[in-house]
Amino acid sequence: MIDERTGPAHGPLCAAIATEIRDMRALIDGLATLLAADARFAMEYLEQFQLFDLLAQRADESAAVLDRIAAGQSAAEAVAPVRLTAVQTRLSAALAEV
């Protein structure tokens, strides 16, 4: 069995974090396309601005996981405090593959 603190065991977690980042980029790209298509976006698409907050939260959570791992916590310890349920579910599922 590989200890979860070792590099090979973090493969699924790193892949999940990379997926999170790619998902954030897709959201940003979609929002940018939407906003660029209509000069009156501020009035007509105000609710879409909430996506910026979601992106910031996801980025913060992913970065915090990496920080905790870098500080020597196990992958499970690093993922446990993630507050966004959907992000924690995906990262926990990746850990289950280890």
Side-chain angles (χ1 to χ4, degrees):
M1 180 173 170
I2 299 172
D3 181 80
E4 69 177 329
R5 293 176 192 264
T6 63
H10 291 127
L13 179 60
C14 290
I17 292 171
T19 298
E20 290 300 315
I21 293 168
R22 285 190 294 275
D23 287 349
M24 288 185 278
R25 171 144 187 194
L27 289 171
I28 290 169
D29 289 345
L31 183 58
T33 299
L34 176 68
L35 296 177
D38 189 334
R40 295 171 287 159
F41 69 89
M43 296 301 290
E44 293 182 33
Y45 301 107
L46 187 58
E47 290 181 23
Q48 280 76 16
F49 282 104
Q50 293 176 353
L51 288 174
F52 287 115
D53 184 52
L54 175 60
L55 294 171
Q57 289 179 43
R58 287 177 70 179
D60 288 344
E61 292 288 8
S62 296
V65 169
L66 289 174
D67 287 340
R68 289 189 288 270
I69 291 170
Q73 288 186 357
S74 70
E77 292 169 331
V79 169
V82 172
R83 295 167 298 199
L84 296 175
T85 302
V87 173
Q88 187 179 70
T89 298
R90 289 188 292 270
L91 296 180
S92 294
L95 280 174
E97 295 178 23
V98 174

